[in-house]
PDB file of all heavy atoms in Angstrom:
ATOM      1  N   PRO X  70     -15.364  -7.772  -9.733  1.00  0.00           N
ATOM      2  CA  PRO X  70     -14.809  -8.439 -10.916  1.00  0.00           C
ATOM      3  C   PRO X  70     -15.030  -7.619 -12.183  1.00  0.00           C
ATOM      4  O   PRO X  70     -16.099  -7.039 -12.386  1.00  0.00           O
ATOM      5  CB  PRO X  70     -15.596  -9.748 -10.981  1.00  0.00           C
ATOM      6  CG  PRO X  70     -16.091  -9.969  -9.598  1.00  0.00           C
ATOM      7  CD  PRO X  70     -16.324  -8.608  -9.024  1.00  0.00           C
ATOM      8  N   GLY X  71     -13.997  -7.546 -13.016  1.00  0.00           N
ATOM      9  CA  GLY X  71     -14.093  -6.858 -14.291  1.00  0.00           C
ATOM     10  C   GLY X  71     -13.913  -5.351 -14.224  1.00  0.00           C
ATOM     11  O   GLY X  71     -13.886  -4.695 -15.257  1.00  0.00           O
ATOM     12  N   ARG X  72     -13.790  -4.793 -13.031  1.00  0.00           N
ATOM     13  CA  ARG X  72     -13.599  -3.343 -12.879  1.00  0.00           C
ATOM     14  C   ARG X  72     -12.128  -3.046 -12.631  1.00  0.00           C
ATOM     15  O   ARG X  72     -11.449  -3.796 -11.936  1.00  0.00           O
ATOM     16  CB  ARG X  72     -14.407  -2.812 -11.683  1.00  0.00           C
ATOM     17  CG  ARG X  72     -15.882  -3.005 -11.770  1.00  0.00           C
ATOM     18  CD  ARG X  72     -16.486  -1.907 -12.633  1.00  0.00           C
ATOM     19  NE  ARG X  72     -17.910  -2.025 -12.708  1.00  0.00           N
ATOM     20  CZ  ARG X  72     -18.754  -1.104 -12.291  1.00  0.00           C
ATOM     21  NH1 ARG X  72     -18.314   0.001 -11.752  1.00  0.00           N
ATOM     22  NH2 ARG X  72     -20.039  -1.292 -12.437  1.00  0.00           N
ATOM     23  N   THR X  73     -11.643  -1.938 -13.167  1.00  0.00           N
ATOM     24  CA  THR X  73     -10.238  -1.580 -12.957  1.00  0.00           C
ATOM     25  C   THR X  73      -9.983  -1.314 -11.480  1.00  0.00           C
ATOM     26  O   THR X  73     -10.894  -0.949 -10.728  1.00  0.00           O
ATOM     27  CB  THR X  73      -9.847  -0.336 -13.773  1.00  0.00           C
ATOM     28  OG1 THR X  73     -10.697   0.744 -13.418  1.00  0.00           O
ATOM     29  CG2 THR X  73      -9.933  -0.608 -15.264  1.00  0.00           C
ATOM     30  N   ILE X  74      -8.746  -1.480 -11.074  1.00  0.00           N
ATOM     31  CA  ILE X  74      -8.338  -1.283  -9.683  1.00  0.00           C
ATOM     32  C   ILE X  74      -7.594   0.038  -9.569  1.00  0.00           C
ATOM     33  O   ILE X  74      -6.543   0.216 -10.183  1.00  0.00           O
ATOM     34  CB  ILE X  74      -7.432  -2.438  -9.207  1.00  0.00           C
ATOM     35  CG1 ILE X  74      -8.178  -3.770  -9.299  1.00  0.00           C
ATOM     36  CG2 ILE X  74      -6.925  -2.181  -7.800  1.00  0.00           C
ATOM     37  CD1 ILE X  74      -7.317  -4.983  -9.026  1.00  0.00           C
ATOM     38  N   ALA X  75      -8.138   0.948  -8.785  1.00  0.00           N
ATOM     39  CA  ALA X  75      -7.464   2.226  -8.545  1.00  0.00           C
ATOM     40  C   ALA X  75      -6.325   1.993  -7.559  1.00  0.00           C
ATOM     41  O   ALA X  75      -6.519   1.415  -6.491  1.00  0.00           O
ATOM     42  CB  ALA X  75      -8.446   3.245  -7.982  1.00  0.00           C
ATOM     43  N   VAL X  76      -5.130   2.426  -7.922  1.00  0.00           N
ATOM     44  CA  VAL X  76      -3.961   2.251  -7.061  1.00  0.00           C
ATOM     45  C   VAL X  76      -4.167   2.985  -5.725  1.00  0.00           C
ATOM     46  O   VAL X  76      -3.711   2.533  -4.687  1.00  0.00           O
ATOM     47  CB  VAL X  76      -2.678   2.721  -7.776  1.00  0.00           C
ATOM     48  CG1 VAL X  76      -1.469   2.626  -6.871  1.00  0.00           C
ATOM     49  CG2 VAL X  76      -2.453   1.900  -9.039  1.00  0.00           C
ATOM     50  N   SER X  77      -4.891   4.098  -5.753  1.00  0.00           N
ATOM     51  CA  SER X  77      -5.156   4.847  -4.519  1.00  0.00           C
ATOM     52  C   SER X  77      -6.063   4.078  -3.560  1.00  0.00           C
ATOM     53  O   SER X  77      -6.151   4.418  -2.386  1.00  0.00           O
ATOM     54  CB  SER X  77      -5.784   6.204  -4.840  1.00  0.00           C
ATOM     55  OG  SER X  77      -7.030   6.020  -5.496  1.00  0.00           O
ATOM     56  N   GLY X  78      -6.718   3.032  -4.039  1.00  0.00           N
ATOM     57  CA  GLY X  78      -7.589   2.208  -3.210  1.00  0.00           C
ATOM     58  C   GLY X  78      -6.863   1.047  -2.567  1.00  0.00           C
ATOM     59  O   GLY X  78      -7.484   0.153  -1.996  1.00  0.00           O
ATOM     60  N   LEU X  79      -5.529   1.054  -2.654  1.00  0.00           N
ATOM     61  CA  LEU X  79      -4.712  -0.020  -2.084  1.00  0.00           C
ATOM     62  C   LEU X  79      -3.715   0.565  -1.102  1.00  0.00           C
ATOM     63  O   LEU X  79      -3.392   1.749  -1.160  1.00  0.00           O
ATOM     64  CB  LEU X  79      -3.965  -0.753  -3.202  1.00  0.00           C
ATOM     65  CG  LEU X  79      -4.814  -1.304  -4.344  1.00  0.00           C
ATOM     66  CD1 LEU X  79      -3.925  -1.850  -5.447  1.00  0.00           C
ATOM     67  CD2 LEU X  79      -5.761  -2.371  -3.842  1.00  0.00           C
ATOM     68  N   ARG X  80      -3.220  -0.277  -0.202  1.00  0.00           N
ATOM     69  CA  ARG X  80      -2.203   0.160   0.756  1.00  0.00           C
ATOM     70  C   ARG X  80      -1.220  -0.984   0.992  1.00  0.00           C
ATOM     71  O   ARG X  80      -1.506  -2.140   0.691  1.00  0.00           O
ATOM     72  CB  ARG X  80      -2.832   0.591   2.080  1.00  0.00           C
ATOM     73  CG  ARG X  80      -3.530  -0.543   2.814  1.00  0.00           C
ATOM     74  CD  ARG X  80      -3.920  -0.163   4.229  1.00  0.00           C
ATOM     75  NE  ARG X  80      -4.697  -1.201   4.865  1.00  0.00           N
ATOM     76  CZ  ARG X  80      -4.222  -2.330   5.382  1.00  0.00           C
ATOM     77  NH1 ARG X  80      -2.925  -2.579   5.333  1.00  0.00           N
ATOM     78  NH2 ARG X  80      -5.016  -3.225   5.943  1.00  0.00           N
ATOM     79  N   GLU X  81      -0.074  -0.620   1.556  1.00  0.00           N
ATOM     80  CA  GLU X  81       0.910  -1.628   1.949  1.00  0.00           C
ATOM     81  C   GLU X  81       0.347  -2.409   3.138  1.00  0.00           C
ATOM     82  O   GLU X  81      -0.416  -1.855   3.946  1.00  0.00           O
ATOM     83  CB  GLU X  81       2.220  -0.957   2.370  1.00  0.00           C
ATOM     84  CG  GLU X  81       2.971  -0.298   1.239  1.00  0.00           C
ATOM     85  CD  GLU X  81       3.584  -1.292   0.270  1.00  0.00           C
ATOM     86  OE1 GLU X  81       3.954  -2.408   0.688  1.00  0.00           O
ATOM     87  OE2 GLU X  81       3.669  -0.953  -0.916  1.00  0.00           O
ATOM     88  N   PRO X  82       0.707  -3.671   3.295  1.00  0.00           N
ATOM     89  CA  PRO X  82       0.246  -4.420   4.474  1.00  0.00           C
ATOM     90  C   PRO X  82       0.871  -3.845   5.745  1.00  0.00           C
ATOM     91  O   PRO X  82       1.980  -3.304   5.709  1.00  0.00           O
ATOM     92  CB  PRO X  82       0.723  -5.848   4.221  1.00  0.00           C
ATOM     93  CG  PRO X  82       1.673  -5.785   3.089  1.00  0.00           C
ATOM     94  CD  PRO X  82       1.495  -4.490   2.388  1.00  0.00           C
ATOM     95  N   TYR X  83       0.148  -3.941   6.857  1.00  0.00           N
ATOM     96  CA  TYR X  83       0.662  -3.433   8.126  1.00  0.00           C
ATOM     97  C   TYR X  83       1.795  -4.319   8.626  1.00  0.00           C
ATOM     98  O   TYR X  83       1.715  -5.541   8.579  1.00  0.00           O
ATOM     99  CB  TYR X  83      -0.432  -3.389   9.182  1.00  0.00           C
ATOM    100  CG  TYR X  83      -1.501  -2.354   8.899  1.00  0.00           C
ATOM    101  CD1 TYR X  83      -2.843  -2.679   9.005  1.00  0.00           C
ATOM    102  CD2 TYR X  83      -1.164  -1.065   8.533  1.00  0.00           C
ATOM    103  CE1 TYR X  83      -3.825  -1.735   8.757  1.00  0.00           C
ATOM    104  CE2 TYR X  83      -2.139  -0.118   8.269  1.00  0.00           C
ATOM    105  CZ  TYR X  83      -3.466  -0.455   8.395  1.00  0.00           C
ATOM    106  OH  TYR X  83      -4.430   0.484   8.140  1.00  0.00           O
ATOM    107  N   THR X  84       2.847  -3.672   9.127  1.00  0.00           N
ATOM    108  CA  THR X  84       3.971  -4.389   9.721  1.00  0.00           C
ATOM    109  C   THR X  84       3.675  -4.682  11.184  1.00  0.00           C
ATOM    110  O   THR X  84       4.030  -5.745  11.692  1.00  0.00           O
ATOM    111  CB  THR X  84       5.266  -3.550   9.601  1.00  0.00           C
ATOM    112  OG1 THR X  84       5.432  -3.160   8.238  1.00  0.00           O
ATOM    113  CG2 THR X  84       6.475  -4.332  10.045  1.00  0.00           C
TER     114      THR X  84
END
Side-chain angles (χ1 to χ4, degrees):
R72 299 279 182 119
T73 57
I74 300 172
V76 177
S77 62
L79 306 173
R80 64 169 174 78
E81 291 289 329
Y83 292 133
T84 308

